[in-house]
Amino acid sequence: WRNTAPGGANPAVTENRRRRLAYISPLPPVRSGIADYSADLLPELSEHYDVEVIVDQAEAMTDPWIRENCPIRSPQWLIDHAGQYERVLYHFGNSPFHEHMFALLEKVPGVVVLHDFYLSAVQAYRELNGRASGAWTRALYAGHGYRAVQERFDASDADEVTWRYPANLPVLQRAIGVVV
C-alpha cells in the first residue's frame, strides 16, 4: 500500500491495469454506520481499483451504485479466489455484522480498518452464541492474560468484561496493516 510508485505513477495501476481490491464490510441495508461509510467510500475507491465487495449478510444489497458497479461476492468466494486480489481491505467493527471477518482474516490476510478499538462485544457474541467456540476467551487471554479470562468466567454480567478489555489483539496480529 505504498502511496507513490516510481516516477509518480498511480500505485493502484500495474501494467496499464487497475489492481483488484476485495472490500470486506457490511453494506446497506445493514443498519450500521460502517455500512453507510462503505457505501460512500466505494465510489471513490473504484476510481483507482477494480473493487469487488465481500459480504455475509442476509439482506440483499440495496445500494444501487454498489449493485451496478461492484461484483458482490461471498466470504467463501474470497477464500477460493484470494490469489486473484492484489489488495484485501477489512472494515472491522464491534457488532455481530462483523463476526464472519475473524475467521476470514485468518485465511485471507489483509489490511484492517479498525472502526472500533474494542472488539470484545463481537468476540463475546461469537463465543456466547456458539458461532466460534472459545473465541472471546482466547482473545481475552491473548491480549490481557489469565486475569481477564478469570473475570470473564466470574462476572455475573458479560457486559462488565466487554467494556473492560478490548480483546482486539488477535485481529491486530493477523492484519498486514491497520488503519485506525
Side-chain angles (χ1 to χ4, degrees):
W1 289 74
R2 294 164 64 173
N3 289 331
T4 58
N10 184 340
V13 178
T14 304
E15 301 170 10
N16 296 325
R17 164 182 86 72
R18 294 184 324 163
R19 293 183 177 174
R20 285 180 77 187
L21 169 67
Y23 189 94
I24 302 101
S25 176
L27 295 168
V30 170
R31 303 188 101 187
S32 158
I34 296 171
D36 296 338
Y37 165 86
S38 290
D40 291 341
L41 181 61
L42 283 166
E44 302 303 321
L45 287 174
S46 73
E47 292 183 18
H48 305 282
Y49 293 95
D50 287 331
V51 179
E52 297 187 15
V53 296
I54 313 298
V55 295
D56 184 24
Q57 59 192 57
E59 302 92 340
M61 186 73 51
T62 58
D63 185 279
W65 188 93
I66 296 171
R67 291 176 62 91
E68 292 172 18
N69 293 284
C70 299
I72 301 167
R73 309 287 190 200
S74 70
Q76 188 60 51
W77 168 270
L78 178 59
I79 292 167
D80 295 342
H81 299 89
Q84 296 176 10
Y85 296 95
E86 288 88 6
R87 303 281 189 261
V88 178
L89 186 63
Y90 291 87
H91 287 265
F92 267 87
N94 194 25
S95 78
F97 299 127
H98 305 271
E99 71 171 302
H100 67 287
M101 295 181 192
F102 293 86
L104 194 55
L105 182 62
E106 288 181 27
K107 296 175 182 166
V108 182
V111 171
V112 168
V113 178
L114 194 62
H115 291 265
D116 294 308
F117 184 75
Y118 278 70
L119 298 177
S120 48
V122 65
Q123 291 281 38
Y125 176 86
R126 294 172 66 225
E127 180 174 314
L128 298 175
N129 289 291
R131 308 261 201 237
S133 180
W136 183 33
T137 302
R138 285 190 304 276
L140 285 170
Y141 182 72
H144 311 288
Y146 179 75
R147 181 183 174 121
V149 173
Q150 182 178 7
E151 287 181 38
R152 176 255 184 272
F153 286 103
D154 289 346
S156 59
D157 181 3
D159 285 346
E160 294 174 23
V161 180
T162 61
W163 291 112
R164 191 171 299 128
Y165 299 104
N168 61 14
L169 186 60
V171 169
L172 298 175
Q173 289 176 323
R174 289 184 184 105
I176 61 172
V178 178
V179 178
V180 179

